[in-house]
Amino acid sequence: MKNKNDYADCPVTEVIALFAGRWKLIILRVLSRHARRFGEISVRIPAISKKVLTEQLKELEADGLISRKQFGEFPPRVEYALTEYGKSLCPLLAYIAAWKKERV
């Protein structure tokens, strides 16, 4: 039987940790075409609560996958976009979607 620590240095484990959370991959997919405001993301993922969306966006930003740009306007406007690091995941997301379509 393998020890839990055998997976500590596994690259797959590290990638899965980035996506921990039910909605992160979906949020990344929503942002894959262009930057969006909070409300636009929320409309495209109606099943997610605003609290959870806020938490997931903060975690994705902390992980360097998305950026948050606040405009000095009134009313306040904030946009979320993929960083270059986040954009590097787009081919993987497209592959996952294609893989699923093939198996339906």
Side-chain angles (χ1 to χ4, degrees):
M1 179 175 181
K2 288 196 171 206
N3 185 334
K4 258 168 72 168
N5 294 332
D6 290 346
Y7 301 103
D9 294 327
C10 176
V12 174
T13 303
E14 293 174 23
V15 170
I16 290 171
L18 280 176
F19 302 138
R22 177 178 179 184
W23 302 103
K24 286 185 180 178
L25 286 175
I26 298 167
I27 293 167
L28 292 171
R29 183 76 169 153
V30 166
L31 294 174
S32 67
R33 290 201 171 84
H34 55 79
R36 297 194 188 270
R37 295 175 69 177
F38 183 91
E40 293 175 301
I41 300 168
S42 182
V43 166
R44 285 170 174 76
I45 314 172
I48 191 172
S49 72
K50 294 188 182 336
K51 177 183 180 262
V52 172
L53 178 56
T54 299
E55 290 170 356
Q56 299 282 277
L57 288 168
K58 285 180 181 178
E59 290 175 16
L60 288 166
E61 183 182 10
D63 290 336
L65 295 170
I66 66 170
S67 63
R68 180 182 187 273
K69 183 176 180 182
Q70 189 164 0
F71 297 86
E73 302 174 351
F74 186 82
R77 179 168 61 114
V78 175
E79 283 186 349
Y80 296 91
L82 293 180
T83 61
E84 289 303 314
Y85 183 42
K87 288 177 185 175
S88 71
L89 293 171
C90 288
L92 175 62
L93 296 174
Y95 179 80
I96 291 169
W99 177 82
K100 174 58 180 156
K101 285 178 184 175
E102 289 175 8
R103 275 129 187 95
V104 172

